Amino acid sequence: MSSEEKGFQNNSINWFPGHMARTRRLIKESLKLVDAVIELRDARIPVSSTNPELNELIENKPKIILLNKADLADEIATKEWLAYYKSEGVAAISADSKSGKGLNILRKTVNEVLADKIKSNVEKGMAGKALRLMVVGIPNTGKSSFINRMTRSAKAKVEDRAGVTRHNKWYVIDTSLELLDTPGVLWPKFEDPEVGFRLAFTGGIKDDILDIQELAAELLNILQKDYPDRLKERYKITGFEELSAYETLELIGKKRGMLISGGEVDTLRASQMLFDELRGGKLGKITFERP
């Protein structure tokens, strides 16, 4: 399926704009400058928030997976993911880059992954030589927040939307660690439309190119099945188990007083509120994918 055919509800989405192609080239060209790669993924969607081309791009470079935004993810699910990666022989940690929680073990993980490199440096008389790591990830996985936390500054631009960083940039953390930031890179096409939905749920795809009411119905289908107690607690609603997702959306809107002329529920406003509260963590810690 071509990029022109991609989209939700007939809204065309250009998944692979020109700067994404340039980013792939930048990553490829910069690999020779680094010792390892840190890939940021959204802890709520560890599968959907990874670029399936990344392993091919980084070739044989050691890699650490950082499940970011763990403060918004189901803690049990995150532990399952970390256990899964460990069973696959993949180094992985979970963290919340905005608060810094979880990042205290990053150095230890880097030293473990690059133990051979550190030993080689010592043997060559270069003990203490700075380790260089490339930071990669698709848009909206929190790379700028991670860089800011690591540098303890606001040198990296941070915005709560996709595609902010545009150019590679080095950050010297201290004498032993340097980070190379890269723009977020998507991939040419999605084989699974569910990937697109999950990215949209978490803000990785801009709402203004989607039918947000249809997207809200998709979200409620999942919440009704996997997290019904969250809906009951947040919106004080009951008896929605037998309702369709759209009827539940109307119920939520009515409960919040989102009515328009004739007593009809403003489902557009209710949808926007639902996503604001999901992304703001007001619905609790939710994960959309399990290993």
Side-chain angles (χ1 to χ4, degrees), residues 140-160:
N140 208 49
T141 49
K143 289 195 295 89
S144 292
S145 294
F146 169 70
I147 295 290
N148 287 349
R149 175 57 57 175
M150 292 299 293
T151 59
R152 293 180 174 81
S153 71
K155 293 179 182 178
K157 188 176 181 183
V158 180
E159 291 186 16
D160 189 20

Side-chain angles (χ1 to χ4, degrees), residues 16-285:
F16 202 47
H19 81 268
M20 296 298 183
R22 290 194 297 275
T23 299
R24 290 207 312 182
R25 290 196 296 272
L26 281 171
I27 290 174
K28 200 78 173 173
E29 292 167 1
S30 301
L31 277 172
K32 61 181 179 292
L33 304 175
V34 300
D35 302 306
V37 173
I38 298 177
E39 182 195 2
L40 270 68
R41 301 184 186 182
D42 189 319
R44 297 166 294 179
I45 50 170
V47 177
S48 296
S49 62
T50 184
N51 182 340
E53 296 184 342
L54 185 60
N55 284 336
E56 180 182 343
L57 279 174
I58 67 173
E59 299 173 330
N60 297 319
K61 288 288 181 181
K63 183 176 77 170
I64 298 169
I65 292 175
L66 194 158
L67 295 179
N68 202 24
K69 304 188 180 183
D71 57 313
L72 300 175
D74 186 318
E75 292 175 350
I76 294 175
T78 299
K79 288 178 181 177
E80 291 175 355
W81 276 110
L82 293 176
Y84 167 76
Y85 291 130
K86 184 176 181 180
S87 72
E88 295 290 305
V90 177
I93 66 172
S94 63
D96 166 26
S97 291
K98 286 188 175 179
S99 70
K101 184 178 180 180
L103 290 178
N104 58 312
I105 65 170
L106 178 61
R107 289 298 188 105
K108 178 175 179 287
T109 306
V110 169
N111 289 341
E112 289 173 352
V113 169
L114 291 176
D116 290 342
K117 177 66 176 178
I118 295 171
K119 181 181 178 182
S120 175
N121 286 343
V122 171
E123 292 172 348
K124 293 176 181 177
M126 296 185 295
K129 181 182 178 182
L131 299 173
R132 290 182 154 192
L133 288 87
M134 180 188 295
V135 182
V136 300
I138 71 169
N140 208 49
T141 49
K143 289 195 295 89
S144 292
S145 294
F146 169 70
I147 295 290
N148 287 349
R149 175 57 57 175
M150 292 299 293
T151 59
R152 293 180 174 81
S153 71
K155 293 179 182 178
K157 188 176 181 183
V158 180
E159 291 186 16
D160 189 20
R161 62 182 180 85
V164 176
T165 310
R166 284 287 190 271
H167 306 288
N168 283 1
K169 195 167 185 178
W170 282 100
Y171 293 92
V172 177
I173 306 306
D174 54 35
T175 57
S176 65
L177 183 65
E178 298 177 7
L179 300 178
L180 174 61
D181 190 20
T182 60
V185 59
L186 279 168
W187 53 97
K189 59 184 178 180
F190 295 137
E191 299 297 340
D192 182 359
E194 293 301 315
V195 169
F197 284 127
R198 292 167 191 151
L199 286 169
F201 293 162
T202 54
I205 295 172
K206 296 177 183 178
D207 292 337
D208 57 6
I209 59 174
L210 302 171
D211 185 326
I212 194 169
Q213 293 170 91
E214 295 292 339
L215 193 63
E218 292 287 342
L219 172 61
L220 286 169
N221 270 325
I222 295 172
L223 296 181
Q224 285 181 212
K225 177 178 175 244
D226 297 337
Y227 296 98
D229 290 345
R230 306 290 172 81
L231 294 176
K232 292 176 183 178
E233 293 167 10
R234 183 65 188 171
Y235 301 113
K236 313 302 181 189
I237 57 175
T238 57
F240 57 82
E241 289 81 3
E242 304 303 318
L243 299 180
S244 70
Y246 193 79
E247 288 171 331
T248 300
L249 180 63
E250 290 183 312
L251 185 61
I252 290 171
K254 185 176 181 180
K255 194 72 175 180
R256 286 292 179 92
M258 296 177 176
L259 304 177
I260 51 181
S261 59
E264 184 180 350
V265 177
D266 187 343
T267 53
L268 175 59
R269 187 179 164 201
S271 299
Q272 292 167 334
M273 177 269 298
L274 181 66
F275 283 108
D276 285 343
E277 299 204 340
L278 170 73
R279 295 165 188 166
K282 294 179 180 178
L283 285 176
K285 298 183 176 184

Side-chain angles (χ1 to χ4, degrees), residues 1-15:
M1 187 176 290
S2 69
S3 60
E4 288 77 13
E5 292 171 305
K6 285 292 180 184
F8 300 97
Q9 310 305 323
N10 297 320
N11 288 317
S12 179
I13 299 175
N14 183 2
W15 296 120

